[in-house]
Amino acid sequence: MRKGIKNKIVAVLLASMFISGMSSVRGSVNNITKAEEITATGINVAYHTENEIREFVKNHPADFNSPAAYDEKPLNTPPYSLGKLNNETLQSALNAVNQMRYIAGIKPNVVLNEDYVTLAQGASVINAINNVLTHYPDKPEGMSDELYKICKEGAKRSNVGMGYDNLSSGMVFVYAEDENSSNIEKLGHRRWILNPYMTATGFGYYNKYLSTYAVSNKNETVNEYGIAWPAQNMPVDYFDKDYPWSISMGYEVPTSGVNVELRRLGDNKVWNFSKTKSSDGYFNVNNDRYGQRGCIIFKPFGIEKYINGDKFKVTITGLNRPLSYQVSFFDLVPVTDIEVDGIPNKIEIGEEVNLNFKAVPENAINDLKISTDSDVLKLSNTYTKDGIITVNSIDGSKKECNEVIIAKKYGIAKVTASSLDGKVTKTYMIKVIPSKGDIHNADIVQKGKNDVIEIKVEKNDTVSGYEVLYSTNEKFKKAKKMFSNSPKNTKFVIKKMSLNNTYYIKTRSFVKVGNTRLYGDYSKVQKCLYYENH
């Protein structure tokens, strides 16, 4: 769903900073007040149901498609200026941050701070001018000391990234991902966004360089810990198989002796992670103060996709108290129906048909699974990978909704389009039939004392035989049929003709599949006039 972003954008991790006043959190009270059937131990974050998350996202919308826009564009030549992003761009990015925080169960009350907006904008502008992504930018020639001070301070105190033109996407799909080799061991960008001590932020953007002011720690009295991503109820839309899992505890976690068990509840498959034993994926513990310290990081191998309805149990041992929680993935906008434009009920052998799939409602952000039940039809995989097709993408990076099917063998096949969780399924039956043949000639000849019409049809070695249909009525009323049960036998004869009539003739081939005959389409009609002076 979000493919292409991590190849487009680079993020540089904000240096680990000590945040004063952050106490070691060692309480044991869970702030889980809903859905008693979902139990969590050793964490203290709010539990939000799927519908509550949907409602929050609806009421705090983030635009993941539109490019960043300005009230005033920056000036990238001396004497330079920072410009100003418009309110819609800034508010969308802020909503994306608070969406993440609400999903994670921490207070979604971060606000925009004008000073922080200026600093973040300075970070983006100076990095764009220098065309270098860094927290420690050099002073461009011709920039004033005053402006450089703003830009330098902003770069030092911000998450910075490059390569994308939408700020909101940067929050959810770049900073929250952090899966590349320079970031995965710390997940610093994610942890700054999910820092419970954050109260305010600001955003900057210029020429594909983006910045988010991160070091805001005035909310020092919070008691939220065990901040997990993916969260207890997690939109599939905001998490991908390439993303590492993490949970931040708010206190120093032993770097050895910690063991993580990740169990997929649907099939009881287990992944184990440890520093002292072999792990079923990436594993690390980081105690640097990127927001909240004590971060346990793990990324399971072998998961191709998270889908609606997937449930996982996380159990962590080796801490000073038990820790376990469940992660349930869901679709923000569930698919309620699937529509396909141009689905045929029959196609000719060797034919390729482009099908257009649409998920309903239109704002359903989801992938569909396209499959066939036999080798009669083949998916080209031109637009899909293993039949998975993205019909909508939240960040706008992928809008293809087509698949090409190829008729490989004669027969009847079922094409199925379904949501990945299988809750919505549509099936279509398609016949693969012989290609349309032709009549080479239909001539009146004399056989002994009688006239006959000799007919020769186009030969097709792949079929079982041919049918010839003829009538003296151009609409083929009271038509008569002749058959050949061999692809080699292409000749037919019409005897006992009626004088002074026009004979209308057409043909089609057929194949036998089991006890069923599959007919191709009829050829063009040929006329043969039989009159007294023919």
Side-chain angles (χ1 to χ4, degrees):
M1 170 163 32
R2 293 172 293 275
K3 302 304 174 202
I5 290 184
K6 68 180 180 180
N7 295 322
K8 295 178 183 177
I9 191 158
V10 177
V12 172
L13 187 58
L14 180 62
S16 176
M17 294 184 178
F18 178 80
I19 297 180
S20 61
M22 293 175 61
S23 58
S24 294
V25 182
R26 295 185 178 272
S28 60
V29 178
N30 287 328
N31 189 21
I32 307 296
T33 58
K34 303 180 183 72
E36 285 76 13
E37 72 277 12
I38 307 297
T39 59
T41 302
I43 66 175
N44 189 49
V45 293
Y47 179 90
H48 298 300
T49 66
E50 294 178 11
N51 285 335
E52 286 172 338
I53 291 172
R54 290 188 179 106
E55 190 68 17
F56 187 90
V57 170
K58 177 182 176 182
N59 293 330
H60 301 79
D63 180 354
F64 294 103
N65 300 309
S66 301
Y70 303 93
D71 284 338
E72 177 188 337
K73 286 190 175 182
L75 179 63
N76 63 356
T77 57
Y80 304 106
S81 70
L82 299 182
K84 186 177 181 181
L85 291 167
N86 69 17
N87 289 334
E88 289 80 8
T89 294
L90 292 170
Q91 187 63 50
S92 176
L94 180 67
N95 285 352
V97 167
N98 279 323
Q99 283 182 20
M100 290 177 60
R101 295 170 69 84
Y102 186 84
I103 292 166
I106 60 178
K107 292 180 176 58
N109 56 0
V110 174
V111 298
L112 288 171
N113 177 290
E114 286 298 325
D115 291 336
Y116 296 166
V117 170
T118 299
L119 289 168
Q121 183 65 11
S124 293
V125 169
I126 196 169
N127 279 337
I129 291 170
N130 292 333
N131 199 23
V132 176
L133 188 64
T134 178
H135 291 291
Y136 306 99
D138 294 330
K139 181 181 177 182
E141 185 176 352
M143 179 177 281
S144 68
D145 291 341
E146 181 182 5
L147 186 57
Y148 178 57
K149 181 179 179 181
I150 293 172
C151 297
K152 183 179 179 181
E153 182 69 13
K156 182 180 178 182
R157 301 176 73 83
S158 297
N159 283 344
V160 295
M162 66 171 289
Y164 209 58
D165 61 2
N166 179 279
L167 270 174
S168 301
S169 294
M171 305 307 115
V172 177
F173 307 123
V174 180
Y175 296 145
E177 180 184 25
D178 264 2
E179 65 89 22
N180 62 57
S181 58
S182 62
N183 290 320
I184 191 172
E185 65 179 16
K186 306 176 185 70
L187 300 187
H189 300 102
R190 178 190 295 181
R191 289 159 65 189
W192 283 120
I193 297 295
L194 297 179
N195 175 17
Y197 301 95
M198 176 185 280
T199 56
T201 189
F203 306 98
Y205 182 85
Y206 185 53
N207 277 1
K208 297 190 180 294
Y209 284 84
L210 62 156
S211 305
T212 301
Y213 189 89
V215 187
S216 168
N217 60 308
K218 295 182 180 179
N219 194 18
E220 296 174 353
T221 60
V222 298
N223 192 36
E224 295 166 322
Y225 58 90
I227 300 166
W229 198 260
Q232 293 174 90
N233 279 312
M234 187 68 197
V236 175
D237 319 71
Y238 289 4
F239 201 80
D240 188 81
K241 67 181 181 65
D242 294 326
Y243 290 26
W245 294 49
S246 67
I247 182 166
S248 295
M249 300 309 302
Y251 60 85
E252 187 161 327
V253 172
T255 56
S256 62
V258 172
N259 298 280
V260 177
E261 180 191 271
L262 178 66
R263 181 182 297 272
R264 186 165 56 198
L265 300 182
D267 58 4
N268 270 330
K269 181 173 175 58
V270 173
W271 292 262
N272 289 294
F273 306 89
S274 172
K275 278 286 188 182
T276 56
K277 302 175 184 178
S278 61
S279 291
D280 300 319
Y282 179 87
F283 180 72
N284 193 40
V285 173
N286 182 271
N287 285 305
D288 296 333
R289 292 186 186 271
Y290 296 98
Q292 201 172 53
R293 69 193 302 179
C295 186
I296 302 168
I297 303 163
F298 50 102
K299 179 182 174 182
F301 291 155
I303 293 180
E304 288 301 318
K305 201 164 193 66
Y306 299 103
I307 66 173
N308 180 59
D310 274 350
K311 297 182 186 299
F312 293 80
K313 179 72 175 294
V314 179
T315 304
I316 301 178
T317 57
L319 303 175
N320 63 341
R321 62 179 182 274
L323 194 158
S324 65
Y325 60 98
Q326 181 173 307
V327 173
S328 298
F329 288 96
F330 71 97
D331 293 328
L332 270 179
V333 182
V335 174
T336 59
D337 196 7
I338 299 169
E339 297 176 355
V340 185
D341 293 336
I343 190 83
N345 57 20
K346 59 183 180 180
I347 58 178
E348 292 185 355
I349 189 75
E351 185 178 359
E352 297 184 5
V353 177
N354 194 325
L355 303 182
N356 183 278
F357 294 88
K358 179 182 177 182
V360 179
E362 288 186 357
N363 62 335
I365 308 300
N366 209 306
D367 292 347
L368 298 179
K369 175 73 174 178
I370 314 300
S371 63
T372 63
D373 66 342
S374 72
D375 57 357
V376 168
L377 297 174
K378 178 185 176 183
L379 296 175
S380 71
N381 289 329
T382 301
Y383 300 100
T384 67
K385 180 181 180 182
D386 298 327
I388 303 296
I389 184 170
T390 299
V391 294
N392 288 308
S393 179
I394 194 169
D395 55 31
S397 66
K398 196 171 184 179
K399 287 293 185 182
E400 295 289 359
C401 51
N402 301 322
E403 178 53 287
V404 175
I405 58 171
I406 305 169
K408 300 295 290 184
K409 293 175 61 176
Y410 293 120
I412 302 174
K414 180 169 66 176
V415 175
T416 301
S418 63
S419 57
L420 295 188
D421 60 10
K423 291 184 177 180
V424 179
T425 298
K426 285 291 188 72
T427 59
Y428 308 88
M429 304 305 297
I430 298 178
K431 295 179 182 179
V432 176
I433 61 174
S435 56
K436 183 187 292 187
D438 199 4
I439 296 176
H440 283 327
N441 60 274
D443 299 321
I444 298 173
V445 299
Q446 189 171 6
K447 292 286 187 181
K449 296 181 179 180
N450 299 315
D451 292 332
V452 297
I453 299 177
E454 286 189 347
I455 302 164
K456 186 175 183 180
V457 302
E458 182 180 359
K459 185 180 180 182
N460 185 343
D461 289 329
T462 70
V463 302
S464 303
Y466 314 94
E467 172 197 283
V468 167
L469 192 69
Y470 68 95
S471 174
T472 56
N473 181 284
E474 63 180 340
K475 293 184 178 180
F476 286 87
K477 292 181 179 179
K478 297 182 179 180
K480 296 181 180 180
K481 296 179 181 180
M482 297 184 291
F483 289 95
S484 163
N485 289 309
S486 169
K488 296 180 180 180
N489 185 8
T490 61
K491 293 181 179 181
F492 296 81
V493 176
I494 301 176
K495 302 177 181 178
K496 298 182 181 179
M497 296 184 298
S498 299
L499 194 62
N500 297 325
N501 273 303
T502 299
Y503 282 81
Y504 298 90
I505 307 165
K506 58 184 179 181
T507 184
R508 62 179 177 174
S509 54
F510 63 87
V511 292
K512 293 179 181 179
V513 179
N515 295 322
T516 301
R517 279 188 178 186
L518 298 179
Y519 287 92
D521 291 332
Y522 279 111
S523 66
K524 291 182 179 180
V525 176
Q526 285 210 20
K527 295 187 292 184
C528 190
L529 282 63
Y530 183 52
Y531 290 95
E532 186 173 1
N533 297 317
H534 70 275

